[in-house]
Amino acid sequence: MKTKTYAGIPEELAKLETAKIVLIPVPYDGTSTWQKGADKGPDAFLDASANMELYDIETDSEVYQQGVFLADAVTENASPEAMVEAVHQATKKYIKKNKFVTIFGGEHSVSIGTIRAFNEMFEDITVLHIDAHADLRESYEGTSCNHACAVYEASQTTNLIQVGIRSMDIIEKTVMDEDKTYFAHEMAEDDSWMDSAIDQMTDNVFITFDLDVFDPSIMPSTGTPEPGGLLYYETLEFLKQVFEEKNVVGFDIVELCPNENDKSSDFLAAKLYYKMLSYKFQDQNIEDGFESNFNDSANTGNKKSKFDTEDDY
């Protein structure tokens, strides 16, 4: 990563020991199937963040003062499976340090690792999947760690809520819970979808946010732009309500595929990330400590993971 600190914040606010927030970049683009470039997303996001005003008008806050530690990027790319495991372990490492952990990809396959970690560390978790694509294939192009499989595992192991979906393969209908899926064409006609989706969430929520959920008119720089997407303020309205009513335990943002000639998408991603942090911490005093409700024994008993969870740190 080119940036020494997130958004160019002072180094005293960027130390792991005191920061409440951790940002893990994952510049991975190993399984994308159309436009390549998501591996350059984290750098473009960080560059845009460094050129952003750090006072949030809506929440009347400067959330960076809570402290944001920019972790070393996860650069494992030997295989999709190796990348997922590296993200899984890095995410767990920082959750265990009692931090609010966030991840910026990279393509959506990185979320398999982040979701796995949060599911192991938090009880009764809802995964809020905001995306244009269903991403429910069990396997694609020879691996279960493909971007088209990003939330298949979550559909089997968590309370999965899907929002903004407008592109999928018919085989995904055999996996999808349509009662917990909010299709874009239905959302456009029925504004009760926000309350309905939140009503189906458990208390602990992890958000995986694919930037292609936005309409291409405001977010053209994604690997697979789909027409008919969400706009900025309706998305913020929904996110604000989720943060107010639920305990958002972390989030990832993926699929920024930067365009050298148009920086607006990079800046939208930067503003979205900062806005989500602002919603999370708007009622917390800077001097107060951050208390995560993770459970270090959450992966024991009937929730024991079938995946390797050994720590190597």
Side-chain angles (χ1 to χ4, degrees):
M1 296 293 104
K2 298 175 184 176
T3 311
K4 290 185 177 180
T5 66
Y6 164 72
I9 65 175
E11 290 191 7
E12 61 267 24
L13 296 175
K15 296 177 180 178
L16 177 60
E17 296 76 16
T18 54
K20 299 177 186 177
I21 300 154
V22 167
L23 167 58
I24 307 172
V26 188
Y28 181 78
D29 194 22
T31 76
S32 59
T33 47
W34 189 24
Q35 298 185 89
K36 292 287 187 178
D39 56 326
K40 298 177 175 58
D43 266 339
F45 157 76
L46 288 168
D47 183 58
S49 298
N51 291 282
M52 186 177 60
E53 302 280 10
L54 295 179
Y55 169 67
D56 182 70
I57 299 170
E58 181 187 8
T59 58
D60 187 26
S61 69
E62 295 178 299
V63 69
Y64 77 92
Q65 294 193 29
Q66 304 282 355
V68 184
F69 174 72
L70 179 59
D72 290 338
V74 176
T75 57
E76 175 63 65
N77 63 2
S79 69
E81 293 78 11
M83 178 278 298
V84 165
E85 181 57 18
V87 171
H88 169 218
Q89 294 297 343
T91 304
K92 279 185 68 175
K93 171 184 175 180
Y94 289 111
I95 293 173
K96 288 182 175 181
K97 292 181 182 295
N98 197 39
K99 306 297 182 180
F100 184 74
V101 181
T102 63
I103 299 89
F104 197 96
E107 48 142 285
H108 212 163
S109 58
V110 307
S111 300
I112 300 170
T114 64
I115 293 170
R116 191 178 293 175
F118 278 91
N119 188 36
E120 289 172 354
M121 298 301 296
F122 291 88
E123 297 286 358
D124 197 20
I125 199 167
T126 289
V127 171
L128 172 57
H129 173 220
I130 304 176
D131 198 336
H133 305 91
D135 289 350
L136 285 170
R137 289 175 172 87
E138 185 174 2
S139 180
Y140 192 68
E141 296 191 334
T143 178
S144 61
C145 295
N146 187 284
H147 72 99
C149 315
V151 295
Y152 173 79
E153 186 178 303
S155 75
Q156 305 301 299
T157 60
T158 75
N159 178 45
L160 178 66
I161 309 289
Q162 299 189 276
V163 167
I165 308 301
R166 55 192 188 277
S167 181
M168 61 185 289
D169 187 271
I170 194 168
I171 193 66
E172 293 173 283
K173 289 187 69 175
T174 64
V175 177
M176 176 178 280
D177 184 343
E178 293 193 37
D179 289 337
K180 294 181 179 180
T181 304
Y182 296 84
F183 294 104
H185 71 278
E186 296 172 339
M187 293 161 58
E189 298 175 353
D190 183 359
D191 61 7
S192 68
W193 68 268
M194 295 187 191
D195 290 334
S196 175
I198 292 171
D199 285 346
Q200 297 202 75
M201 297 176 193
T202 54
D203 288 340
N204 290 332
V205 176
F206 175 80
I207 301 173
T208 181
F209 196 109
D210 188 326
L211 290 165
D212 67 26
V213 77
F214 285 119
D215 193 80
S217 63
I218 66 168
M219 174 54 70
S221 299
T222 64
T224 313
E226 295 280 351
L230 297 180
L231 297 178
Y232 190 62
Y233 281 109
E234 66 179 321
T235 303
L236 292 189
E237 179 185 356
F238 177 53
L239 289 171
K240 182 179 182 181
Q241 195 171 337
V242 173
F243 276 93
E244 286 178 346
E245 298 187 26
K246 300 297 178 179
N247 177 40
V248 176
V249 297
F251 62 83
D252 66 36
I253 298 176
V254 298
E255 297 285 357
L256 176 64
C257 186
N259 178 344
E260 191 62 38
N261 298 317
D262 181 7
K263 301 293 188 182
S264 63
S265 295
D266 307 352
F267 205 72
L268 191 158
K271 295 286 282 190
L272 175 70
Y273 176 85
Y274 199 70
K275 181 67 78 170
M276 291 172 74
L277 291 184
S278 298
Y279 288 153
K280 174 64 181 179
F281 287 91
Q282 65 177 326
D283 295 324
Q284 296 194 29
N285 294 323
I286 293 169
E287 60 271 15
D288 292 342
F290 175 71
E291 287 298 327
S292 173
N293 68 331
F294 80 88
N295 182 356
D296 205 9
S297 61
N299 61 341
T300 62
N302 61 11
K303 198 180 176 183
K304 185 171 179 61
S305 172
K306 66 182 178 180
F307 304 102
D308 177 24
T309 60
E310 291 300 315
D311 297 330
D312 55 1
Y313 47 83

